[in-house]
Amino acid sequence: MVDVRVGVLALQGAFREHILDLEGLGASALAVRLPDQLAGLDGLIIPGGESTAIAKLMRTYDFYDAIRARHAEGMAVWGTCAGAILMATEITDARPDQEPLGLMEATVRRNAYGRQIDSFEADLDIAHLDAPFRGVFIRAPLIERVSDHAEVLARHGDQIVAVRDGDLLATTFHPELTGDPRVHRYFLERVIGAS
């Protein structure tokens, strides 16, 4: 993985933990704070945090068009929690000024499981992983609809919590908070590696 360069959008949220997981797997990881830092990246992670705050900062620093353009050029994108919300084509319960990136053909509902006090952990059976993965759900969104060509990777009950669509990955939980790098490895090897 030494030749893979992955940026983590470092405007707000749990970006440091993603960087540590990526570096632990041998990838070159970069905290992305300005759009020109997207140049030359093989992948980008949009981390969890507050989706409305991240969206405002993305608008302020002109990230929307930059991320869309780099994705069109082949940069893979993974959104975790708030990042999954922003990647969608449609956000349910969004604030009127919250614009989605529209990268993944999906509908995502903000705070679907309730408030901070309703956060929880659960074991998930994730496709392509060899054992259950402990999902950390913090004010988590819910993926309500995906395109027919997307692969649902995991569900919690009957709800979609992880999906891949080509070079796009969305998880409604926080793999970076578990100490288990298997979803990061999947992103590096399967999502970026196949793009």
Side-chain angles (χ1 to χ4, degrees), residues 62-134:
D62 296 322
F63 268 105
Y64 276 89
D65 289 341
I67 291 172
R68 290 172 183 141
R70 284 292 297 120
H71 175 253
E73 295 169 355
M75 179 183 71
V77 182
W78 173 18
T80 63
C81 197
I85 294 169
L86 292 168
M87 286 178 62
T89 50
E90 182 182 6
I91 305 171
T92 308
D93 293 339
R95 291 173 48 121
D97 60 346
Q98 188 172 14
E99 178 187 355
L101 275 163
L103 298 179
M104 179 178 280
E105 187 182 333
T107 301
V108 178
R109 178 178 298 276
R110 292 176 68 243
N111 300 336
Y113 292 100
R115 299 169 49 185
Q116 189 83 12
I117 196 168
D118 300 310
S119 300
F120 65 96
E121 296 184 17
D123 286 333
L124 304 172
D125 291 319
I126 301 178
H128 313 292
L129 298 189
D130 56 356
F133 187 93
R134 191 72 174 165

Side-chain angles (χ1 to χ4, degrees), residues 1-5 26-28 40 42:
M1 285 297 134
V2 290
D3 294 332
V4 177
R5 296 187 69 237
S28 175
D42 300 299

Side-chain angles (χ1 to χ4, degrees), residues 5-192:
R5 296 187 69 237
V6 182
V8 182
L9 193 64
L11 301 178
Q12 194 260 348
F15 58 89
R16 289 179 190 87
E17 292 82 356
H18 279 293
I19 289 171
L20 291 173
D21 278 345
L22 292 166
E23 289 176 342
L25 292 168
S28 175
L30 170 71
V32 174
R33 293 185 173 87
L34 296 170
D36 61 3
Q37 293 176 304
L38 297 171
L41 294 180
D42 300 299
L44 175 71
I45 297 174
I46 304 173
E50 172 48 53
S51 63
T52 54
I54 294 172
K56 286 179 182 179
L57 290 166
M58 283 175 55
R59 174 64 54 221
T60 299
Y61 291 100
D62 296 322
F63 268 105
Y64 276 89
D65 289 341
I67 291 172
R68 290 172 183 141
R70 284 292 297 120
H71 175 253
E73 295 169 355
M75 179 183 71
V77 182
W78 173 18
T80 63
C81 197
I85 294 169
L86 292 168
M87 286 178 62
T89 50
E90 182 182 6
I91 305 171
T92 308
D93 293 339
R95 291 173 48 121
D97 60 346
Q98 188 172 14
E99 178 187 355
L101 275 163
L103 298 179
M104 179 178 280
E105 187 182 333
T107 301
V108 178
R109 178 178 298 276
R110 292 176 68 243
N111 300 336
Y113 292 100
R115 299 169 49 185
Q116 189 83 12
I117 196 168
D118 300 310
S119 300
F120 65 96
E121 296 184 17
D123 286 333
L124 304 172
D125 291 319
I126 301 178
H128 313 292
L129 298 189
D130 56 356
F133 187 93
R134 191 72 174 165
V136 177
F137 294 82
I138 302 172
R139 292 181 61 203
L142 176 65
I143 301 171
E144 295 183 321
R145 179 193 61 82
V146 296
S147 69
D148 292 338
H149 48 79
E151 179 186 8
V152 174
L153 298 174
R155 295 178 185 270
H156 177 255
D158 61 351
Q159 309 294 339
I160 300 170
V161 297
V163 64
R164 176 186 176 186
D165 192 348
D167 60 359
L168 300 169
L169 178 65
T171 57
T172 64
F173 52 95
H174 290 265
E176 77 280 6
L177 300 180
T178 65
D180 183 342
R182 289 180 295 156
V183 180
H184 287 80
R185 182 180 292 115
Y186 175 83
F187 181 62
L188 294 173
E189 294 178 355
R190 299 286 190 97
V191 182
I192 293 176

